[in-house]
Amino acid sequence: MRFTSNSKHRYTRQLILIMMNESKIKEKVCNFGNLYDALWKCKRNVGWKDSVAGYVKNGLVNCLTLREQLMNGTYEISKYTMFKVYEPKERDIVSTRIKDRVFQRSLCDNYLTEEISRSFIYDNCACQEGKGTKFARDRLKSHLQRFYRKHGVEGYVLKCDLSNFFGSTRHDVAIAAVEKRVGDAWAVSEVTRIIKSFNQGENPDVGMGLGSQVTQLVQLAVLDDFDHYIKEQLHIKHYIRYNDDFVLIHEDKDYLRNCKALIEKWVTDLGLKLSPKKTQLFPITQPIHFLGFSFRLTATGKVVMKLLPEKISHERRKLRKLVARAKAGHLTREQVDECFKSWKAHAEQGDTHNLVRKMYEYYQELWR
């Protein structure tokens, strides 16, 4: 490529502006105040852990050291801790150390979240400020009501779930999703390093940890193009996704069947797979199980929202164990009461007046 003196000057000026912008982003993310704020956000609800308490005790020094490492390029990601959780289902969790969580929190809060999420559709509901499980449930309820106003109960639902979403995502796919949405080279390199740090297992180029804030955001970006494909190419007006769980509503059963085949091809090309047990096509009058609740559209257009039976059974078992521990002196009555109040607030999102009353009576009986 040949440059004139003017074009060389413009190219040099653009390069300098890009470098200055990248320097500002790095400085903002690695700013001591932002790192210290991130530390206190990361401490919430886990301050009782020895590793967290020890890091917070010397928080000022640790944040200053972390800043220096990030600025001079000596920062290294610590080794992960791996364990299993069994609620709401069995999952392998790769836990990120507090030092790395602080950096990732500052990176997400001060740059990455806004940069990556600007192309997200409104009904991409997970891991974003102002959104979450309650927002997703409200959106599904709204979609059912809007569908009813136009089509009544003459419609169908395609509910899909991806098998082992985090554990099956290829690193090259995740990195490509980040590079497409993030303009800052330093941020891209840091996110790429985080993605590649999850290299455990038989295939080191596949899978990311569920306990990382960055990977949760990246996973939303991995399916961002998929969301736009559903809305803009398949023209599904009533569509909602929470992480790897998504719902399509349409008046034509055959069209949804065709959509299912196209979706399978799309996710297969990404190296992912639909869960055969949780991917179903059924009439809209049947209950939709979504995020712990059952949604049922009635003939009058009302959406009845109930807790799933297995969630109720789980809460009863949990309360029995907590009350037993309190009677043994390992917990206080106030701590157990707070757990019950938390569940009650969750349950009251649905049509559960009688359930909550019966559960309260059951809870009081446990203390007698």
Side-chain angles (χ1 to χ4, degrees), residues 181-324:
R181 291 162 179 82
V182 179
D184 180 70
W186 173 78
V188 170
S189 68
E190 289 299 326
V191 175
T192 298
R193 179 153 64 134
I194 292 169
I195 292 171
K196 290 185 175 180
S197 68
F198 296 100
N199 56 3
Q200 297 89 359
E202 298 178 358
N203 190 343
D205 298 322
V206 175
M208 292 185 289
L210 192 59
S212 163
Q213 185 177 358
V214 166
T215 59
Q216 290 178 18
L217 187 59
V218 169
Q219 289 293 68
L220 295 182
V222 165
L223 291 182
D224 182 35
D225 286 342
F226 173 76
D227 292 336
H228 286 277
Y229 173 71
I230 296 291
K231 298 287 287 185
E232 297 159 17
Q233 299 298 318
L234 298 183
H235 304 290
I236 299 295
K237 183 177 181 179
H238 303 289
Y239 167 75
I240 182 171
R241 179 168 70 86
Y242 187 89
N243 210 351
D244 60 347
D245 196 356
F246 50 96
V247 176
L248 293 75
I249 304 172
H250 197 267
E251 63 272 17
D252 190 330
K253 183 178 182 180
D254 290 334
Y255 186 70
L256 280 181
R257 189 179 287 115
N258 182 56
C259 288
K260 180 175 179 289
L262 294 172
I263 289 171
E264 284 182 317
K265 183 181 184 307
W266 182 285
V267 299
T268 300
D269 290 343
L270 290 179
L272 302 171
K273 185 173 67 172
L274 290 177
S275 170
K277 290 183 178 180
K278 297 182 180 180
T279 300
Q280 302 169 328
L281 176 59
F282 50 87
I284 198 170
T285 51
Q286 290 186 12
I288 304 171
H289 293 181
F290 186 68
L291 299 179
F293 282 79
S294 169
F295 296 76
R296 184 172 60 86
L297 180 63
T298 68
T300 61
K302 182 180 179 180
V303 178
V304 179
M305 185 175 159
K306 300 284 189 179
L307 267 179
L308 294 175
E310 57 267 28
K311 300 298 181 181
I312 301 171
S313 300
H314 171 262
E315 184 61 23
R316 284 174 171 266
R317 291 195 300 271
K318 180 181 175 181
L319 288 175
R320 285 200 300 270
K321 291 178 181 178
L322 289 174
V323 171

Side-chain angles (χ1 to χ4, degrees), residues 126-144:
C127 304
Q128 299 164 72
E129 187 175 356
K131 296 187 177 182
T133 55
K134 185 181 186 304
F135 175 85
R137 295 185 193 105
D138 289 343
R139 287 299 296 163
L140 177 56
K141 188 174 182 178
S142 175
H143 277 297
L144 288 168

